[in-house]
Amino acid sequence: MSNPYSEKQCVISGVGQSEIGRRLPRSGLQLTVDAVKKALDDAGLKREDIDGVSSWPGQMQNSAPGFSPVSITDLREAMDLKLSWYNAGIESTQMSAIINACMAVASGQARHVICFRTMTEASSMAKGTRSSVQGTGSQRISGPFQWQLPFGAFSASSWAALIASRYMHEFGASREQLAQIALNARRNAQLNERAVYRDPLSMEDYLSARMISDPLCLFDCDVPIDGSTVLIISHKDCAPDLKATPIHIESVAGPLYGRDSWDQQDDLTRFCAEDAGKMLWSRTDFSPKDVDFAELYDGFSFLTLLWLEGLGFCGRGEAAAFVEGGQRIARDGELPLATHGGQLSAGRTHGLGYFHEAVKQLRGEAGSHQLAGDRKLAVVSNGGGNLAGAALLRKD
């Protein structure tokens, strides 16, 4: 008998995404409302049907401009929502908005929950503020940053580069192999009219690009954008009344077994992706060989390699060889990745964009970049370091 309080009681009933771009002339709240309206229309639901809202990391506009500019209160007031349950907070996995929404729906706290993630980092950068760089303002630095900044580790690019360097040393991976993550993403983005970067990208372009934090170059880093993505999590009993094909949530995982840190892990080359993978597969009868495509986190290209290993698509230290040449991860390969261009080319939607893409692909609604064939099972991952979360999505 299935657990009546698990994620398997839940479906993604609707998805919506605002315009995605660089320095858009709209506020974060306007973009969020746009995405919510699209998700409601997609699901065939009314505003009055929504009784829950979930987000991550919660409003952070003052401490991290552009990183999370919209609060649940902002959205509730703007749309006059009547909420039985709501949740947001940063001390949790990056996928916590979805995991918590599933638990709320499965336990009866809510029936239809909006999950949203809004970014206005591109506009904030244009104003001279960068949420991704620590220690650039006049505020006193505290917490873990007080130990990282003296060594020049101002942002996640430095932390990820440390891990990538160790991985390359330990397993003999090359930049040419790593490049396939960025090259594959760009090829897919060329088919996606909504992607931010669509110009062709060659191996020569990649290898000659400006180094950001060795061994990560410009094309290994995702693209800051303005935009909002929304999912609606509903109880599976609602499926017959939905306008769109419901996508079932087969399994979710967002554990924290190791250190709550990027640079203080017991083994720098494992991270939390491995723990998330083990938990994900323990909650389902499916296995990696059943997956039709994967939307794996590429905030930095190297993180995708760790996700390939952590989710069991290849063995320990084998991810660089797995992606070499790009054939396996191409649209017609054994495991298509980043089918919309990923965050490296389609824009840093910070996690929820992968869900939006996976749902569209599973429904056969991805338009010009739709994969061939009938795809029924997708894996989605979010985050790197200590923020790892993964989900398995299924179409009946």
Side-chain angles (χ1 to χ4, degrees):
M1 179 181 295
S2 62
N3 182 350
Y5 304 112
S6 80
E7 63 270 32
K8 288 180 174 59
Q9 305 304 312
C10 304
V11 297
I12 298 175
S13 57
V15 294
Q17 195 169 66
S18 72
E19 180 183 2
I20 302 293
R22 304 274 283 171
R23 305 172 190 176
L24 299 177
R26 294 177 68 75
S27 70
L29 182 56
Q30 288 174 318
L31 293 169
T32 307
V33 171
D34 288 347
V36 170
K37 289 180 176 179
K38 289 182 178 180
L40 288 171
D41 180 68
D42 184 55
L45 296 172
K46 303 187 297 295
R47 173 180 58 85
E48 293 79 9
D49 294 321
I50 299 300
D51 56 359
V53 176
S54 187
S55 188
W56 180 92
Q59 204 271 352
M60 296 179 62
Q61 183 63 10
N62 293 330
S63 60
F67 183 69
S68 187
V70 179
S71 69
I72 286 179
T73 298
D74 293 335
L75 181 60
R76 199 217 71 79
E77 292 292 331
M79 300 197 72
D80 191 26
L81 300 173
K82 303 295 188 286
L83 303 179
S84 301
W85 177 89
Y86 58 99
N87 167 83
I90 194 169
E91 289 192 75
S92 54
T93 176
Q94 191 170 320
M95 202 177 280
S96 63
I98 292 170
I99 296 174
N100 290 338
C102 288
M103 300 304 101
V105 168
S107 64
Q109 291 292 318
R111 191 75 170 167
H112 301 286
V113 178
I114 287 173
C115 300
F116 75 92
R117 183 75 177 97
T118 302
M119 313 282 285
T120 55
E121 286 190 308
S123 291
S124 294
M125 288 171 62
K127 298 174 184 176
T129 57
R130 296 190 63 180
S131 62
S132 60
V133 177
Q134 304 295 325
T136 56
S138 59
Q139 290 183 325
R140 184 176 180 85
I141 299 300
S142 60
F145 297 121
Q146 66 183 308
W147 312 113
Q148 295 169 335
L149 265 58
F151 296 93
F154 296 102
S155 75
S157 61
S158 301
W159 316 333
L162 171 70
I163 315 306
S165 295
R166 179 63 199 179
Y167 184 95
M168 289 179 164
H169 168 77
E170 191 166 328
F171 299 111
S174 68
R175 289 194 65 218
E176 286 80 3
Q177 291 172 317
L178 180 61
Q180 294 300 332
I181 301 298
L183 299 184
N184 177 71
R186 185 60 61 87
R187 283 192 293 269
N188 290 335
Q190 288 180 279
L191 300 174
N192 178 10
E193 63 274 6
R194 288 172 53 83
V196 175
Y197 289 151
R198 302 181 66 198
D199 292 337
L201 180 65
S202 68
M203 179 67 78
E204 182 180 359
D205 294 332
Y206 174 89
L207 294 175
S208 62
R210 174 166 54 94
M211 191 62 69
I212 301 300
S213 187
D214 192 9
L216 304 181
C217 72
L218 180 65
F219 297 119
D220 291 311
C221 306
D222 60 7
V223 186
I225 52 91
D226 295 352
S228 181
T229 306
V230 167
L231 312 179
I232 300 177
I233 305 294
S234 302
H235 198 280
K236 68 178 184 179
D237 290 350
C238 302
D241 301 321
L242 297 174
K243 175 181 173 183
T245 301
I247 299 302
H248 293 261
I249 301 176
E250 174 68 22
S251 176
V252 289
L256 180 61
Y257 299 147
R259 302 288 299 278
D260 191 9
S261 164
W262 279 71
D263 62 335
Q264 297 297 314
Q265 301 293 323
D266 292 336
D267 183 342
L268 288 176
T269 63
R270 289 182 185 271
F271 265 6
C272 294
E274 186 171 316
D275 294 331
K278 290 177 180 177
M279 183 176 178
L280 183 77
W281 298 120
S282 74
R283 300 178 67 82
T284 178
D285 292 330
F286 290 106
S287 67
K289 65 179 176 56
D290 298 313
V291 172
D292 292 314
F293 65 96
E295 307 296 345
L296 304 185
Y297 196 76
D298 61 351
F300 300 103
S301 58
F302 172 72
L303 297 179
T304 302
L305 299 188
L306 294 185
W307 274 115
L308 285 168
E309 295 179 9
L311 290 170
F313 293 113
C314 59
R316 176 99 168 102
E318 296 177 358
F322 184 89
V323 305
E324 187 170 4
Q327 292 86 2
R328 277 178 164 168
I329 60 174
R331 304 180 64 77
D332 57 353
E334 63 184 79
L335 185 69
L337 296 185
T339 53
H340 63 315
Q343 292 189 173
L344 294 175
S345 287
R348 175 181 159 87
T349 50
H350 213 220
L352 285 200
Y354 302 106
F355 280 89
H356 183 274
E357 171 66 9
V359 168
K360 290 292 188 180
Q361 288 287 349
L362 288 169
R363 290 181 184 166
E365 298 174 352
S368 58
H369 64 284
Q370 177 67 44
L371 293 170
D374 186 19
R375 311 280 173 152
K376 294 187 175 182
L377 194 68
V379 68
V380 177
S381 69
N382 278 189
N386 52 322
L387 297 174
L392 193 63
L393 306 183
R394 172 177 58 83
K395 177 182 71 174
D396 279 344

